[in-house]
Amino acid sequence: MTSRKKLIAANWKMNGSLTMARSLVKEIAVGLDAMPAKALLDTVICPPSPYLGVIAGLITETPIGLGAQDCHAEDKGAFTGDVAAPMLKELGAGYIIIGHSERRLYHAETDEVIAAKAQAVIRTGLVVIACIGETLAEREGDLTENVLKKQLKSLLAISELKPDQMVIAYEPVWAIGTGRSATPTMAEATHRFIRQEISLCLGQDFANSIRILYGGSMKPDNAKDLLSMPNIDGGLIGGASLIAKDFLAIIQAAHLEI
Ligand code: PGA
């Protein structure tokens, strides 16, 4: 039990259609409404950007928050195809995911680019969900801690960072979309290491306040065990967030840990 409010965030990635988005959000809202302690945790949906405006209209009377999956580091300019954090805010986003391993891999995003994007999110007044995580080769080469330390470094160097401006999502790359989740013990040990690193950089109070989510094949059948770990403050859910009943079961599992 901690004072950190649990956060369950859905990362839809580039999936769905407008029709599917509408019905999925409605189903989640109805399911959430039946949960008595819904206000005691944060539930966020991060759909593809084109759906943000429509979904914002559907969640006004619900406790569901809205997030985007990426943004540019600049607020405006000649960046064809890119989207700025203030634009996402206008559509109703309160959170923006930055540095997902799929962005690092397919868009060659470096730690420096990711930190600049995180800064843009914070400057816009939104909460950044900053993803870090090691590949399978890095884990097997005993490099996990070094990799995480390096990924965290530029994020934690953001000046005057406050713990409520950032959420860290620890997502081991080998667990994403593979059905192969980290065991609760393994995830907890890594989360503990991340919190320790944060404490070394920004102090114990900061480290105790910031939320660290686990992501990577979190499903209804492993959510409770992962979310009951003292340093796991929620989840970033990919595949299972596209099925209302599975996503609701994960939210329910988080409820049990409040
Ligand atoms: P997954 O994705 O739950 O499908 O493994 C998690 C993520 O990539 O955020």
Side-chain angles (χ1 to χ4, degrees), residues 26-123:
K26 282 183 193 159
E27 241 184 293
I28 291 164
V30 169
L32 201 55
D33 196 42
M35 294 186 201
K38 54 187 170 286
L40 299 179
L41 59 79
D42 290 328
T43 304
V44 174
I45 294 178
C46 305
S49 292
Y51 303 155
L52 282 168
V54 169
I55 295 180
L58 295 174
I59 60 171
T60 47
E61 305 289 307
T62 78
I64 299 172
L66 197 56
Q69 299 174 15
D70 178 48
C71 71
H72 197 276
E74 299 294 333
D75 292 347
K76 65 180 168 70
F79 302 105
T80 303
D82 278 312
V83 176
M87 298 169 182
L88 298 167
K89 184 183 184 180
E90 278 185 302
L91 288 179
Y95 298 77
I96 305 184
I97 300 171
I98 293 297
H100 191 282
S101 58
E102 286 149 16
R103 303 276 330 162
R104 292 178 189 261
L105 178 64
Y106 303 128
H107 296 268
E109 290 190 8
T110 61
D111 291 331
E112 289 64 38
V113 167
I114 291 161
K117 289 183 173 200
Q119 245 166 331
V121 177
I122 292 166
R123 156 171 100 234

Side-chain angles (χ1 to χ4, degrees), residues 11 13 97 100-102 131 171 175-179 215-219 236-241:
N11 175 11
K13 310 192 179 184
I97 300 171
H100 191 282
S101 58
E102 286 149 16
C131 302
E171 300 206 308
I176 295 176
T178 58
S217 297
M218 190 184 278
K219 309 275 179 209
L236 183 55
I237 328 293
S241 74

Side-chain angles (χ1 to χ4, degrees), residues 56-215:
L58 295 174
I59 60 171
T60 47
E61 305 289 307
T62 78
I64 299 172
L66 197 56
Q69 299 174 15
D70 178 48
C71 71
H72 197 276
E74 299 294 333
D75 292 347
K76 65 180 168 70
F79 302 105
T80 303
D82 278 312
V83 176
M87 298 169 182
L88 298 167
K89 184 183 184 180
E90 278 185 302
L91 288 179
Y95 298 77
I96 305 184
I97 300 171
I98 293 297
H100 191 282
S101 58
E102 286 149 16
R103 303 276 330 162
R104 292 178 189 261
L105 178 64
Y106 303 128
H107 296 268
E109 290 190 8
T110 61
D111 291 331
E112 289 64 38
V113 167
I114 291 161
K117 289 183 173 200
Q119 245 166 331
V121 177
I122 292 166
R123 156 171 100 234
T124 308
L126 308 183
V127 178
V128 58
I129 301 178
C131 302
I132 58 172
E134 81 287 1
T135 62
L136 185 59
E138 287 162 347
R139 172 146 300 251
E140 289 177 348
D142 207 14
L143 295 170
T144 301
E145 295 193 349
N146 280 347
V147 169
L148 298 177
K149 215 168 162 163
K150 182 173 172 297
Q151 291 175 340
L152 278 170
K153 196 173 168 206
S154 46
L155 290 167
L156 300 179
I158 292 175
S159 81
E160 295 184 44
L161 183 66
K162 315 263 183 323
D164 58 355
Q165 293 173 322
M166 184 179 282
V167 174
I168 301 289
Y170 167 58
E171 300 206 308
V173 178
W174 46 271
I176 295 176
T178 58
R180 181 181 165 192
S181 152
T183 65
T185 319
M186 191 195 277
E188 169 61 16
T190 311
H191 280 232
R192 202 177 324 112
F193 169 78
I194 293 168
R195 206 176 295 285
Q196 217 168 56
E197 275 304 304
I198 297 173
S199 164
L200 289 176
C201 289
L202 296 170
Q204 193 63 52
D205 287 351
F206 189 107
N208 285 341
S209 306
I210 194 166
R211 293 184 285 188
I212 307 176
L213 313 184
Y214 170 80

